[in-house]
Amino acid sequence: MGIMSLSQKEVINALRKGKVTICVVGLGRIGLPQAALFADRGAHVIGADVDPAVVECVNSGRSHLLDEPGLDRLVMSATNSGRLKATVDTSLGVEAADFVIVSVPTPISAKRIPDYSQMEEACHAIAKTLPKDCLIIIESTVGPGAVEDFVIPLLEEEAKMEVCVDFGVASCPERADPGGLLRDLTTVPRIVGGINDKSAEIARALYREIFGVEVVVVSDPKTANAAKLAENLFRDVNIALVSEFALLYEKLGIDAIEVIDACSTKYNFMPHYPSAGVGGPCLPQNPYFLIYEGMKAGYIPRMVQMARQINDDTPKRAVAMATMALRRINKKAESSKIAILGVTYKPNIRDLQHTPVEKIFISLKEIGATLKLYDPMFRDEEVFGKRISRSVEEAVRDADCILIGTAHDEFRNLDLDLLRERCNMPAVFADIANISDPSIVEEHGFTYAGIRKPEKSWSLREEEDSLQCTASQ
Ligand code: SAJ
């Protein structure tokens, strides 16, 4: 059809009449929900993914993401209607497409520079069969300028086409929260930056019509990508800030959560909370997109760098907190049994990407502690090379320490009487996720460890010893 040759009104008409074909490249956390929503709203969708298991799952009407409410049903109805098909052949999916949505992973390499290899692979496949007047929308997180300076030249070169003449390009970075994808995709405004006005106009029509959301059009793709990174780095920096507060207030005998909750009553205070650490596919990596571009441009955002270092260090402090508390009950971490409850990077989702709990697990293992793991999202499966217990009760049997790594809802109402009976009392309750009330924990006979009951008595020396002990392992 040549979507770029239509007016915004004609695009909306075509979408309403189900006359639009969309290829979604990458059927992961963002791609699959979007593909299902596009199909549910009447478009003909070809989902392309390099993983045959994902393709097979989708074509059998199921979602491989088990923690996105409503997605399974949507994928089932989209495939049953014939409007959603999946393939491992991206070029095949692109050849009849009006829109190509690119949602492939863009991880940061071990050298902390963006790894665009999967984006490059996708662009090669797209360029092979790119139809004239198609619109390509990059949803993957990339550094500001990567679309203009890397993606577009690659597409032009490979497809022997000229952007703005033969095809359009826009960036529309994802802004959805795992565990609530379908909700956020149909409620949260989208930010679109087109390589030209036409690309932005057609992209805007797509997202407004299909998802019914407000679309904020910015100057160009790099502005859209800069906004995406600003949103996430704002969070990373603020989490680092509250973590610093927590460390200081612990020394002053102040409960940092109480302080943050009190601050939240002010209209211009946006609460963030200290946790076991900052994990996930985004925040631990996003800063390096900006730092990389900054290195090239001659200005490195130091605050962003410092926040990353603080957040990377958080799991170490969690280990020190637990080992110090064990020492206070005359137990040594190296000869203790520790039950870690919660392994995912954040509550109530099934995702281990860059989870801070893995660093805690590795440190405690290196110290010599005997470890058990439990997580409601991974019962009886293997995580970090270890079988996840079937229940909290199984994990805490004979434990000298319970460590709450993730604030899963299930851990907000633990039966502390039962846990006391199962543990090897006296035992530590190290609430690194800050979800319990220290006085209630201690009323049940546990020694609480966490920022909610700062112990002025813990000397800096004691913590340094513990950190030393952790570091030297
Ligand atoms: N965290 C804290 N304290 C806080 C808030 C979060 O320690 O106050 C921790 C979380 O426990 C987690 C990490 O930070 O370990 C990141 O959590 P997050 O909710 O800030 O963000 P993510 O990693 O879940 O980001 C996701 C991303 N979307 C997808 O992965 C599909 C990101 O691109 C979105 O912008 C973000 O959700 C969103 O907008 O919610």
Side-chain angles (χ1 to χ4, degrees):
M1 175 199 303
I3 205 82
M4 291 296 290
S5 61
L6 303 183
S7 69
Q8 201 178 77
K9 200 160 174 293
E10 288 167 329
V11 171
I12 290 170
N13 250 340
L15 285 165
R16 286 180 182 163
K17 289 183 180 148
K19 292 192 178 327
V20 166
T21 300
I22 301 174
C23 177
V24 177
V25 182
L27 296 176
R29 179 73 77 169
I30 288 291
L32 180 57
Q34 284 206 138
L37 279 168
F38 285 140
D40 185 58
R41 301 301 200 269
H44 291 277
V45 182
I46 305 104
D49 199 287
V50 293
D51 184 343
V54 169
V55 169
E56 196 277 324
C57 196
V58 173
N59 284 334
S60 58
R62 287 177 297 109
S63 158
H64 60 92
L65 299 166
L66 306 178
D67 56 359
E68 287 298 347
L71 184 57
D72 230 25
R73 183 187 50 73
L74 203 62
V75 171
M76 172 73 77
S77 67
T79 44
N80 286 350
S81 67
R83 280 200 296 271
L84 171 59
K85 288 186 176 57
T87 175
V88 288
D89 183 346
T90 298
S91 303
L92 181 68
V94 166
E95 62 186 13
D98 300 299
F99 292 92
V100 177
I101 313 287
V102 184
S103 278
V104 297
T106 49
I108 293 292
S109 73
K111 294 199 178 96
R112 292 189 165 159
I113 55 174
D115 171 0
Y116 292 136
S117 55
Q118 296 177 71
M119 177 65 73
E120 187 169 358
E121 195 184 313
C123 288
H124 281 303
I126 291 166
K128 278 200 189 112
T129 56
L130 183 61
K132 184 139 173 36
D133 288 334
C134 177
L135 175 59
I136 299 169
I137 301 177
I138 307 296
E139 292 202 355
S140 303
T141 302
V142 295
V147 169
E148 292 89 339
D149 304 336
F150 168 66
V151 172
I152 289 174
L154 175 59
L155 288 166
E156 288 183 310
E157 166 71 27
E158 296 283 313
K160 303 285 179 281
M161 285 182 168
E162 190 184 342
V163 74
C164 302
V165 176
D166 302 312
F167 65 98
V169 171
S171 273
C172 181
E174 57 85 6
R175 306 169 97 196
D177 189 16
L181 254 291
L182 295 179
R183 176 201 62 217
D184 291 352
L185 287 173
T186 53
T187 53
V188 177
R190 298 300 290 263
I191 297 177
V192 162
I195 195 62
N196 60 359
D197 292 346
K198 187 71 179 171
S199 298
E201 181 191 293
I202 303 296
R204 183 166 181 262
L206 174 71
Y207 290 103
R208 282 183 65 177
E209 186 56 29
I210 292 278
F211 299 132
V213 294
E214 185 203 336
V215 177
V216 177
V217 176
V218 294
S219 307
D220 46 31
K222 65 182 172 190
T223 305
N225 290 309
K228 161 69 184 181
L229 291 171
E231 288 169 351
N232 280 0
L233 274 52
F234 174 84
R235 263 173 99 68
D236 204 41
V237 167
N238 277 284
I239 295 164
L241 179 62
V242 293
S243 297
E244 288 270 89
F245 289 158
L247 289 172
L248 170 60
Y249 293 165
E250 185 187 323
K251 303 254 173 287
L252 301 176
I254 298 167
D255 174 351
I257 305 293
E258 186 180 0
V259 169
I260 295 163
D261 286 344
C263 293
S264 304
T265 58
K266 187 150 183 288
Y267 56 88
N268 61 359
F269 181 88
M270 186 184 279
H272 290 75
Y273 291 90
S275 68
V278 176
C282 296
L283 270 57
Q285 303 198 96
N286 285 181
Y288 298 107
F289 287 106
L290 216 53
I291 292 167
Y292 179 67
E293 294 302 333
M295 281 194 289
K296 290 194 290 183
Y299 178 77
I300 295 183
R302 286 166 301 150
M303 174 76 86
V304 164
Q305 265 182 326
M306 202 187 310
R308 214 41 339 261
Q309 284 155 19
I310 291 168
N311 288 334
D312 280 344
D313 266 354
T314 305
K316 235 186 271 176
R317 313 211 84 92
V319 172
M321 204 177 262
T323 52
M324 277 197 284
L326 279 165
R327 213 180 278 171
R328 279 168 46 218
I329 58 170
N330 300 317
K331 292 188 175 181
K332 288 188 176 143
E334 55 269 34
S335 53
S336 292
K337 286 185 182 170
I338 301 177
I340 298 177
L341 305 186
V343 295
T344 58
Y345 82 83
K346 72 178 190 182
N348 311 319
I349 59 157
R350 185 184 153 84
D351 199 325
L352 298 166
Q353 294 181 86
H354 300 280
T355 175
V357 182
E358 183 168 16
K359 288 184 182 173
I360 295 173
F361 172 81
I362 290 168
S363 290
L364 290 172
K365 194 172 167 200
E366 285 170 352
I367 288 173
T370 303
L371 300 170
K372 283 264 188 78
L373 299 173
Y374 171 75
D375 190 297
M377 294 288 180
F378 287 94
R379 280 189 194 91
D380 216 18
E381 295 184 49
E382 188 170 298
V383 171
F384 313 151
K386 199 168 174 60
R387 189 186 67 81
I388 296 282
S389 301
R390 288 186 187 82
S391 67
V392 170
E393 206 178 325
E394 180 191 320
V396 304
R397 197 175 304 286
D398 302 327
D400 302 291
C401 173
I402 296 174
L403 187 150
I404 309 285
T406 313
H408 287 307
D409 290 346
E410 178 177 324
F411 303 148
R412 291 181 182 278
N413 311 300
L414 291 169
D415 180 344
L416 294 173
D417 288 322
L418 176 66
L419 298 191
R420 187 183 58 244
E421 284 163 27
R422 294 287 179 275
C423 286
N424 174 28
M425 301 304 280
V428 167
F429 190 96
D431 180 9
I432 314 299
N434 311 312
I435 55 170
S436 59
D437 178 332
S439 52
I440 293 175
V441 166
E442 300 211 323
E443 276 161 24
H444 286 79
F446 287 97
T447 297
Y448 174 89
I451 60 167
R452 301 220 62 178
K453 185 177 181 298
E455 291 291 332
K456 277 187 77 173
S457 58
W458 291 359
S459 70
L460 195 58
R461 176 91 199 117
E462 199 182 13
E463 173 162 357
E464 273 159 4
D465 287 353
S466 270
L467 280 171
Q468 198 58 38
C469 159
T470 313
S472 64
Q473 298 297 336

